[in-house]
Amino acid sequence: MNKILVLPGDGIGPSIIGSAVEVIGAVADDIELVHGEIGFSAYEASGQHLPFETLDLAGECGTTLCGPVRTVKENNGAYRNPLETLKAQLDLYAMVRRFTTFSPDIGREGMDITLWASNNQPGQDIVETRDIDGITLTKYIRSSSYSRMMARALTDMEMCGGTKVKCITREDIFPESSALFEESFTSLFEANGLETQCTNVPTWASRIVRDPLEDEYIICADLYSHVAAGILAGLAGGNHLYPVGFAGDSNFLLIPGSIHLFEDVQKEYVNPTSAIFAGAMALSNLNRRGAATSIINALKETYVAGDRTPDMGGTLTTDEFTRRVIGRLDQSFITS
């Protein structure tokens, strides 16, 4: 399908998602951008924070680009985020993040690592139970959740030409689940002739800090995915520069990261880098890898040139930064 569902979301969402839409349109105007609503804008229009129409559009388009969405307090006092409902409805069982350094002065030059992990659903796979003495945390692990996530990661590796993949677990603390994870990893990736390695989290963390260029793809048990992502983001320049992707068999949801989400900030100066990068990942998911690479290279050239928003030491507005990126796109991919 050559469609991307665009959901602006709340807070800074419309601003940064707007930048991504402009950049996508500059390199692939044959991609149909379908617009929908989620969050408070959806509630104002339909009385629902996640309208049925949005769910239908997400299933129809397959690839969705969504801004941040506020958590909603329901009548029973419980808190719910429409994005979590969307992920559950689309059966998005895998999480993916890509970290590639935009400029040598903000991260390790040449770093380009993709991290995959399972996306467990709170309340289903992870349950908190309160008793007199405290809270018991129960985590249910399905072998199918590991194998499905790894199969999705393998597909991505094959599409992008990846050759090296590393599995990280914590067998000294969770021997049974770690063994299950490694078994799933080895049976799939070694059978496909890839260069594989298994290691524990502390060893991986100490090595990646010294040499972040040694890794290409990482398959991580979900318990440590946020830790691994934090380390990689720190090495590459900051967590707010990189989006988070959630993948299923036929659906892919991308959400930009940001320092400011809903605070009272000058929206005209919000950094749209993660949203533009999310747009590149959306195009890659549609097998438009040339266009995706053009966007990422344009981002890197913009950062190297010193054209940045205030959060990264520059003076550009969101729109000015977007214009600079578009101006550096590979001409062979720019559409009329």
Side-chain angles (χ1 to χ4, degrees), residues 4 16-17 19-21 23-24 27-28 31 33 63-66 243 252 254-256 272-286 288 291-293 295-296 299:
I4 297 175
I16 61 175
I17 294 298
S19 292
V21 166
V23 175
I24 291 171
V27 293
I31 296 290
L33 298 173
T63 303
T64 300
L65 181 61
C66 182
F252 193 39
L254 287 147
I255 306 169
T273 298
S274 62
I276 295 172
F277 195 0
M281 292 179 67
L283 289 174
S284 183
N285 185 61
L286 294 174
R288 301 297 187 89
T293 299
I295 292 174
I296 293 170
L299 279 169

Side-chain angles (χ1 to χ4, degrees), residues 59-274:
E60 174 189 329
C61 295
T63 303
T64 300
L65 181 61
C66 182
V69 179
R70 290 180 185 271
T71 296
V72 179
K73 186 176 182 179
E74 299 180 324
N75 293 332
N76 61 4
Y79 288 89
R80 177 179 59 84
N81 193 297
L83 275 176
E84 295 301 323
T85 304
L86 180 61
K87 286 186 280 185
Q89 291 291 325
L90 297 178
D91 190 25
L92 304 182
Y93 50 78
M95 184 278 292
V96 58
R97 299 194 71 181
R98 180 181 173 187
F99 302 92
T100 181
T101 307
F102 295 119
S103 178
D105 67 307
I106 62 173
R108 180 64 180 270
E109 185 175 8
M111 178 177 162
D112 193 349
I113 299 174
T114 300
L115 171 70
W116 281 88
S118 297
N119 175 42
N120 289 319
Q121 296 295 329
Q124 299 178 22
D125 301 312
I126 302 174
V127 179
E128 291 182 320
T129 305
R130 182 182 292 275
D131 57 28
I132 296 176
D133 297 322
I135 297 174
T136 299
L137 181 66
T138 303
K139 185 178 189 300
Y140 181 70
I141 297 174
R142 299 175 176 85
S143 60
S144 61
S145 67
Y146 286 163
S147 59
R148 287 206 301 169
M149 177 271 290
M150 292 181 190
R152 186 66 175 80
L154 177 62
T155 299
D156 181 65
M157 285 191 68
E158 291 174 339
M159 287 179 58
C160 299
T163 59
K164 294 194 307 180
V165 57
K166 184 175 291 183
C167 169
I168 58 174
T169 60
R170 193 69 195 269
E171 69 279 359
D172 55 327
I173 297 179
F174 301 106
E176 294 297 329
S177 61
S178 294
L180 179 64
F181 193 84
E182 287 192 22
E183 180 182 343
S184 298
F185 172 83
T186 302
S187 63
L188 180 63
F189 288 95
E190 287 191 358
N192 282 272
L194 297 170
E195 182 182 338
T196 64
Q197 182 182 349
C198 294
T199 187
N200 60 45
V201 176
T203 299
W204 170 81
S206 62
R207 289 178 178 174
I208 197 69
V209 170
R210 293 197 304 270
D211 185 11
L213 305 187
E214 72 172 26
D215 288 347
E216 184 179 290
Y217 273 78
I218 296 170
I219 308 297
C220 179
D222 56 279
L223 283 172
Y224 324 113
S225 60
H226 293 294
V227 174
I231 292 172
L232 294 172
L235 291 170
N239 202 46
H240 71 294
L241 299 177
Y242 302 96
V244 184
F246 297 93
D249 289 336
S250 57
N251 287 280
F252 193 39
L253 169 67
L254 287 147
I255 306 169
S258 181
I259 296 175
H260 303 288
L261 296 176
F262 312 114
E263 296 89 344
D264 185 17
V265 298
Q266 289 183 288
K267 292 182 175 59
E268 65 269 25
Y269 284 96
V270 173
N271 189 344
T273 298
S274 62

